[in-house]
């Protein structure tokens, strides 16, 4: 099912905490404890270092690519309590904005769907989520949701902009009135859904309670042809839940346990068509999951880091070592 | 040191142990003990080899006592918990008594001793006595002697160094007062093994060494007295030596020379006399003209080298001094960019010095080499105010900051980016940290500006490393998976050889870990990009399909066939079959482009791609499955060699297939499928028999149909198939062919019965469900493509909203894959109003004012600058807000209707310019 096509020599000096591919799947941004953010060109299985971004003063936890219609923009967040927005101009990457509005480590950044403009959500260990909106001419407007998650917020993920019927209600030409939503996961074991009110304030819309330990990652599935909204959440307790909401108006979400792993589950990531979920856990394995006909999630592939199903010879070699 | 303790120390230890246990040893006796190696001044002045060689013994002796204390104390005292107590005032510094049972806290308006009990701190003694608070009590630093539990020293902000004797019977424990510094004394430090030696470092740029048995300093070290001798290892950026200074140094040399190190005091007196300065023996002389003395921020006696101490300065320098040579430092180097606030000698590693600076870095230096070598560099978040090596943990040190950050961090110097532990108790800047016991790594005490004293338990520390996410995961656009994971977790990898087989799987890059130093703290990650196959989210098929699908511009049947062929070639048999079925459902047989179909069927057979693709066969599965098999068997039955010929001329076939008329094998297929459909819908006979004359199959079809049924689907043919490299592995399919084949005869019979077609409307529900099925499977491409190809035939069955959602999703995807042309085509072909207006959404017309020639910004008809309406109708003299037609000759124009009307009656310009306008 899965094979290694590229092992990227990042030459990061410490642990890598996040790797994100850009919108077109051509570039890979990584961030590490060594305070650096690196960007690689990974087209055709290559790995050319394009940029080494230095500016953070602590481990960098997460990176996020903005939609290319705004240019080449990358956001990174760090233990140093800062969020840095990097921008490429004429082939060189430079710091374009620095947000220092948090009192503790910033754990997660996520760009809103491009339809909303350039909006970045940042979740921090100080429990707050801040939303940075680009207002033009290098200015960013900050809105902050204080005490979003007690102890801390670990992950944020935006709902897709394309919600069924969002365009139809409005005469052509008029900009559709999107309802902005995002999900966040935190140390209070909760996944929370947030919605922007008409007055521009963010309000907690829903609390999804299922996990018994810190929520490590949430991922709102892209809505490619799907009639339902789906959120995947994973936690320190080793469990991965899939939350679905069939009816946007009633806003009731039902959880389904995907699997209980033996170790912490760090990440969940949806495939582009939202039919496959990749899950990475503390056992250093990536598993791919797919919903079967009867609505059960089944593991369709197992990826052991660094090997995959590369070749029999490698696998044998490993067994010998063990 | 450890070895020594077990050998030479054994005897002494045994002797002293009882005394210690019963605590009869008086502090005085202890002091005598430690000094028994000779008075301080003897080694100070006796520059002999013996003195050097004796030192380690002496030091060991001292350390022994401490370790014994640990054992004697056992677990009884060093139990405790994370706790804190409120102080009356902000603390500036803390220091722990050598028995680890008491801690002294000093600040501007506090000087107290607390007993560390199991559950709490208990105030034992307030050393601030007297009615009017003296500036002498405003402490910048405090230190508790590590050999004498009654001896303390404080550094006052007014420059006074005070010693305290807790053994004094009176309430005022103040012992001695040294008023030699001119400015704040930043640091005081007892010699680790000598009871009477105290070192101070001050803001005024001087360090002074005191013998507590004397009234004033024994020697003074100037931060500027540098680099005089040839032995110095100068580093760039040293303070230039001013003439005055060198002169002074020369004199000093002289004074040292004439009395060969007999008495330090006499030396000092000499110096004092020679410059006639009674109070500050050296300080004043170097005075203002000597330039800015760099403030001393920290002084620390080396734990292992008897005569050595290190000092740090505000200009970023670190100096190493021999206590016997006040004239010049042994060496100096620039350690930090900006002030060096603190330093600490490693308790075990001789020559390891940790320094912390305002540049937010902690550096570990190896001082044993000729040139101080930077061993490690830890980057903290804020400027480093204090640094303390963690006992018993070779690579750990604790730091705190003097601003911004209130936390205390414990770092593993080998992991310079993430703290190993973090204590977050304080609400304000932490000013003092001290490990409770020199051999216990778990208790850390701290004082803070928030007026609290804390005991931290290492166990309770939060560990950022543990909280940090060790993995990164991302689903790429093409279904590739980027995965970064902590390397140490993958132990099995360490010995793996690079794999250089397939070009598609490049070499593994492995960063070699230094085998000399394997430890758990190091972390590195391996980052791999995985490729997934279609079932696992690979998206190559999407791009190929999008590019090759034909969506419009040809007859429906042709489109279906083409798309079916594309799907088949990409190994997506279910999709291919769907297209084929759609053609069958919606196209009248007379129009079947048979050659093409032949080709696709043959192709399907020859490709022999595995039947089981990623999609789970859902509700349509039985029909589809058998269809596929049918198809293949037909393809096989008709030997590929014949049909592959036509594949070569596929393109041309497509061009003129309309004229080719119906061909035989196509009819077979039709017949078969109808048979299948009949099987499926046999329960509904009313629908099954509507007569449709158009659908009557040509008679010629029947004989040929029998031919194919007669074609032996025998073993030799199956053998053929198995031999084909493409079909290997589809044994199961091959096996399942048998029953299908047997059903052929049945089908052929049934075909005769149902030679008519069902109306396409009948399939509306089925097709709708199918599209929903594909969309839910993540293949919105199929849904949209079918929607476009079938057009009105299915549109009515699917609600507008869903259609639009599919369209937008598909367009989004196409744009992501940079398939702009396809995306544009889809937008163009879409029937949803909201979607088709997307093509106009980002089209901009720039309009310039016809008068001032400047761009018109807000509205199209009024210029903001010249405030004139740009486009007046020449006929009605009103502003034209919609279509404006104008003559290119005279540039007059107006409302389209008006101009048209005008020109019907006159050929002259309505504006009266005389131009003969033409409207075409």
């Amino acid at each position: 099912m899965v094979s290694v096509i590229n092992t990227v020599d990042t030459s990061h000096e410490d642990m890598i905490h996040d790797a994100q591919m850009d919108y077109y799947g051509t570039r890979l941004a990584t961030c590490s404890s060594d305070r650096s953010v690196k960007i690689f060109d990974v087209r055709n299985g290559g790995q050319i270092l394009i940029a080494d971004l230095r500016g953070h003063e602590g481990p960098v936890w997460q990176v996020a690519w903005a939609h290319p219609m705004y240019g080449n923009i990358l956001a990174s967040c760090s233990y140093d309590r800062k969020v840095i927005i990097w921008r490429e101009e004429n082939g060189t990457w430079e710091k374009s904005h620095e947000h220092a509005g948090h009192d503790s480590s910033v754990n997660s950044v996520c760009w809103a769907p491009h339809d909303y403009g350039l909006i970045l959500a940042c979740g921090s260990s100080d429990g707050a989520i801040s939303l940075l909106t680009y207002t033009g001419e290098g200015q960013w407007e900050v809105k902050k949701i204080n005490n979003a998650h007690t102890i801390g917020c670990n992950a944020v993920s935006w709902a897709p902009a394309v919600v069924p019927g969002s365009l139809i209600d409005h005469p052509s030409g008029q900009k559709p009135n999107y309802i902005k939503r995002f999900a966040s996961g935190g140390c209070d074991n909760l996944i929370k859904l947030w919605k922007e009110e008409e007055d521009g304030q963010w309000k907690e819309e829903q609390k999804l309670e299922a996990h018994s330990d810190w929520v490590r990652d949430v991922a709102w599935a892209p809505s490619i042809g799907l009639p339902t909204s789906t959120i995947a959440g994973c936690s320190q307790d080793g469990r991965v839940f899939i939350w679905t909401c069939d009816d946007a108006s009633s806003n009731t979400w039902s959880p389904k346990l995907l699997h209980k792993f033996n170790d912490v589950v760090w990440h969940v990531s949806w495939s582009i068509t939202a039919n496959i979920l990749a899950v990475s856990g503390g056992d250093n394995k990536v598993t791919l999951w797919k919903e079967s006909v009867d609505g059960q999630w089944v593991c369709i592939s197992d990826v052991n880091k660094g090997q995959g199903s590369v070749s029999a010879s490698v696998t044998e070699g490993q067994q010998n070592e063990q | 040191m450890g070895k020594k303790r077990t050998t030479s120390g054994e005897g002494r230890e045994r002797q002293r142990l009882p005394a210690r246990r019963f605590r009869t040893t008086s502090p005085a006796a202890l002091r005598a003990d430690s000094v028994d190696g000779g008075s301080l001044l003897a080694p100070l002045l006796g520059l002999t080899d013996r003195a050097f060689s004796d030192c380690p013994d002496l030091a060991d002796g001292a350390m022994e006592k401490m370790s014994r204390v640990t054992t004697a104390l056992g677990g009884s005292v060093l139990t405790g918990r994370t706790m804190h107590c409120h102080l009356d005032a902000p603390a500036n510094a803390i220091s722990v008594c050598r028995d680890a049972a008491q801690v002294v806290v000093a600040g501007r308006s506090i000087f107290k001793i607390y007993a560390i009990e199991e559950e709490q701190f208990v105030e034992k003694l307030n050393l601030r006595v007297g009615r009017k608070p003296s500036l002498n009590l405003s402490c910048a630093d405090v230190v508790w002697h590590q050999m004498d539990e009654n001896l303390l020293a404080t550094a006052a902000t007014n420059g006074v160094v005070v010693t305290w004797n807790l053994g004094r019977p009176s309430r005022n424990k103040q012992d001695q007062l040294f008023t030699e510094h001119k400015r704040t004394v930043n640091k005081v430090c007892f010699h680790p093994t000598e009871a009477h030696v105290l070192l101070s470092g001050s803001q005024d740029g001087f360090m002074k060494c005191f013998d507590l048995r004397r009234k004033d300093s024994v020697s003074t070290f100037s931060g500027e007295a540098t680099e005089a001798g040839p032995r110095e290892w100068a580093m760039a950026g040293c303070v230039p030596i001013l003439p005055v200074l060198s002169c002074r140094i020369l004199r000093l040399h002289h004074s040292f020379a004439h009395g060969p190190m007999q008495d330090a005091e006499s030396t000092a007196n000499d110096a004092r006399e020679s410059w006639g300065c009674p109070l500050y023996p050296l300080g004043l002389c170097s005075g203002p003209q000597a330039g800015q003395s760099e403030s001393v921020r920290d002084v620390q006696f080396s734990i292992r080298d008897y005569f050595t101490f290190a000092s740090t300065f505000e200009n970023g320098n670190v100096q190493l001094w021999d206590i016997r040579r006040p004239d010049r430092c042994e060496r100096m180097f620039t350690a930090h960019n900006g002030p060096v606030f603190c330093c600490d000698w490693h308790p075990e590693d001789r020559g390891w010095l940790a320094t912390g600076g305002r540049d937010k870095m902690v550096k570990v230096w190896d001082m044993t080499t000729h040139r101080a070598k930077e061993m490690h560099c830890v980057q903290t978040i804020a400027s480093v105010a204090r640094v303390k090596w963690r006992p018993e943990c070779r690579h750990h040190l604790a730091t705190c900051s003097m601003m911004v950050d209130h936390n205390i961090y414990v770092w593993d110097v080998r992991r310079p980016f993430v703290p190993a532990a973090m204590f977050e108790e304080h609400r304000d800047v932490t000013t003092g940290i001290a490990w409770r016991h020199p051999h216990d790594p778990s208790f850390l005490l701290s004082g803070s500006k928030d007026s609290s004293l804390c005991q931290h338990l290492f166990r309770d520390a939060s560990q950022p490393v543990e909280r940090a996410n060790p993995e990164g995961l991302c689903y790429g656009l093409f279904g590739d998976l980027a995965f970064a994971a902590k390397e140490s977790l993958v132990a099995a990898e360490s010995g793996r050889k690079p794999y250089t087989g397939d070009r598609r799987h490049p070499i593994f890059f492995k960063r070699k870990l230094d085998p000399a130093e394997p430890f758990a703290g190091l972390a590195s990650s391996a980052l791999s990009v995985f490729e997934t196959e279609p079932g696992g989210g690979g998206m190559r098929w999407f791009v190929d399909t999008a590019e090759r699908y034909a969506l419009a511009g040809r007859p429906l049947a042709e489109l279906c066939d083409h798309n079916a062929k594309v799907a088949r070639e990409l190994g997506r048999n279910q999709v291919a079959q769907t297209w084929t079925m759609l053609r069958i459902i919606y196209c009248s047989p007379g129009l079947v482009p048979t050659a093409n179909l032949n080709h696709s069927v043959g192709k399907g057979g020859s490709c022999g791609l595995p039947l089981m693709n990623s999609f789970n066969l859902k509700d349509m599965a039985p029909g589809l499955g058998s269809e596929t098999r049918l198809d293949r068997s037909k393809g096989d039955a008709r030997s590929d060699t014949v049909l592959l010929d036509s594949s070569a001329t596929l393109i041309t076939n497509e061009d003129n297939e309309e004229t080719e008329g119906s061909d035989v094998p196509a009819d077979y297929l039709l017949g078969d499928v109808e048979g299948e459909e009949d099987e499926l819908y046999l329960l509904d006979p009313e629908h099954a028999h509507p007569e449709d004359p158009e659908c009557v199959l040509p008679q010629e079809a029947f004989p040929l149909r029998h031919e194919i049924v007669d074609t032996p689907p025998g073993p030799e043919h199956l053998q053929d198939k198995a031999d084909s490299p493409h079909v290997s592995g589809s044994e199961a399919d091959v096996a399942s062919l048998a029953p299908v084949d047997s059903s052929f005869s049945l089908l052929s019979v049934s075909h005769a019965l149902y030679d008519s077609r069902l109306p396409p409307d009948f399939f509306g529900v089925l097709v709708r469900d199918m599209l929903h099925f594909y969309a839910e499977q993540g293949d919105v491409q199929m849904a949209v493509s079918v929607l476009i190809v079938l057009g009105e035939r299915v549109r009515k069955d699917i609600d507008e909203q869903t259609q639009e959602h599919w369209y937008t999703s598909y367009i989004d995807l196409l744009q992501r894959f940079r398939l702009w042309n396809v995306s544009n085509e889809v937008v163009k072909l879409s029937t949803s109003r909201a979607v088709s207006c997307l093509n106009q959404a980002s089209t901009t017309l720039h309009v310039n004012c016809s008068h001032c020639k400047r761009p018109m910004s807000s509205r199209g008809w009024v210029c903001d600058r010249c405030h004139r309406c740009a486009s007046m109708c020449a006929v009605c003299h009103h502003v034209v807000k919609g279509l404006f037609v104008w003559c290119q000759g005279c540039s007059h124009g107006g409302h389209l209707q008006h101009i048209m009307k005008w020109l019907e009656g006159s050929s002259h310009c309505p504006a009266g310019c005389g131009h003969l306008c033409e409207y075409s």
Side-chain angles (χ1 to χ4, degrees), chain B residues 545-568 575-584 586-588 591-594 596-597 599-600 650 653-655 657-658 781-782 784-793 795 825 829:
Chain B
T545 311
E547 281 171 344
R548 293 171 59 184
Y549 265 0
L551 298 179
R554 298 188 212 166
L556 174 63
E558 208 177 306
L559 292 173
C560 289
D561 287 335
H562 175 82
N563 294 344
K565 183 175 76 77
V566 168
R568 211 179 297 275
V575 174
Q577 209 52 49
T578 307
W579 282 112
T580 313
M581 280 179 65
L582 287 172
R583 198 205 62 148
I584 291 156
Y586 290 101
C587 298
S588 55
L591 295 173
V592 169
T594 47
N596 192 22
L597 184 61
H599 166 72
S600 69
L650 165 70
N653 276 351
E654 278 174 354
D655 289 338
E657 59 204 5
E658 284 293 320
Q781 179 178 52
M782 184 65 186
V784 172
S785 301
V786 170
L787 209 55
I788 292 174
V789 167
L790 294 184
E792 288 304 327
R793 295 175 186 86
R795 200 171 297 139
E825 193 188 345
L829 293 172

Side-chain angles (χ1 to χ4, degrees), chain B residues 470-493:
Chain B
E471 290 174 353
L473 177 71
C474 175
Y475 234 123
L477 186 60
F478 293 93
D480 33 4
L481 208 60
F483 179 49
K486 197 173 160 188
E487 207 149 31
S488 57
L489 290 169
V490 203
E493 257 199 333

Side-chain angles (χ1 to χ4, degrees), chain B residues 102 268 407 582 622 717 746 864:
Chain B
Q102 294 179 80
N407 300 339
L582 287 172
H717 172 69
L746 282 173
D864 291 334

